[in-house]
Amino acid sequence: MIKTPQPLREGDKIAIVSPAGIPVPAHVKSAADILRQQGYRVEIMPHALGKWGSYSGTDEERFSDLYDALTDPEVRAILCGRGGYGAVHILDRLDKLPLSQDPKWIIGFSDISALHALMHKHGVKSVHASMCSHIRLGEDDADNSLLFGLLRGEQPNLYFKPSPLDRPGVADGKLIGGNLAVLADLIATPYDLLLPDTILFIEDVAEPIYKIERVLYQLTLNGVLPNLKGLIVGQFTEYAGDKNYDTMEEMIHEMVKPYGYPVAYDAPIGHVFHNSPVIEGAHVTLRVTADPTGENSLIYWP
C-alpha cells in the first residue's frame, strides 16, 4: 500500500533543498516568500544556495540537507530548488533512511525524478511539479494554484486538449514517470521506476530522437512498453528532427502502434512554462477522448 503524505496545514514547515544543480538564489528566496504567503514556515537548508563545481554542494552537503529535512518531524514538504544532475549521487545513502515512517511530500521534476524513484521504492507518493523558478510567480499562476491545492489535500485532476496522434481509451492504474533519460539510467537498479501495469508519463529536454527511441526499444525488450495500462506523452523540448522523424511524437507513435492501451500526447508536463503537477504513485483514471473538440483527463481516486 503506497502512503500519502498528510495535507499541509497553516504553520507547517517546508524545507527547500538543492539535491543536484546550482539554483538561482533570487528564485529560491522569491519562492520562499510565496510559500510564506501561503501560510507556511519555510527553511532554506544550509547548502541550498551553495556552489561546488556544477553542483549546489558536495555529496555530503547535499545529503546532509536532505537528511535533516527528511528526519525533521516539523517538515511536512520538501521543495527542490532546481534539477540539473546529481541526485543519483546520494540515492543509496538516502535509501537507508526510514522514509515511509513519516512520509513527506517531495516536490520537483527533471533530475528530481531520481528522488521520485527513491520515494516510490519506499512506498511513498511524491509530486512531479515545477520548482522555485516557477513557484516565485505566485498563486495566480494556474499550475502553482494546482500545486498549492494538492499540498492542502485537494485532488489535482488534470484536463488537457487532445492531439491528432492520440489513441482513445480509458485506463485505471498507478501513475508513475518523469524525465525519461534520468529514469532510464535507473533501469535494473533498486530504483527502477519504469514498470509494467502502470500508467506511465514521460518527458525530456535536449535529447535527440534516436536516444529516446533507444530507451523505448529497451523498454520494449524488457516487457515494460508492451504491458503498460496507458501512456501519457508530455513535452519533449530542445531537440531537432532527424532523417527518420520530424518530431519526437511521431517516433513514439510508431513505437506504441502494436499495443492497445490509450495514449495521450502533448500533455502539459515537462520542461515548459505550463508544467502541471502530478502525483507519483497515485491511483488514477486516464481518459483519452476520441472527440477532437473534447478534452483528455487524468482523474485521481480518493
Side-chain angles (χ1 to χ4, degrees), residues 19-20 62 85-91 94 111-112 114-115:
R62 288 179 285 130
Y85 168 72
V88 69
H89 297 166
I90 54 178
L91 278 190
L94 293 170
D111 190 65
I112 308 307
L115 297 185

Side-chain angles (χ1 to χ4, degrees), residues 222-245:
N222 72 5
V224 171
L225 198 66
N227 293 295
L228 293 175
K229 291 186 175 180
L231 177 64
I232 301 171
V233 180
Q235 302 299 306
F236 285 79
T237 54
E238 297 182 25
Y239 73 93
D242 60 22
K243 294 180 180 179
N244 300 307
Y245 300 101

Side-chain angles (χ1 to χ4, degrees), residues 2 120 124-126 173-177 201 279-284:
I2 193 159
H120 184 267
V124 178
K125 295 176 184 176
S126 56
K174 182 189 292 185
L175 179 67
I176 59 169
F201 69 92
I279 302 177
E280 300 266 7
H283 190 175
V284 299

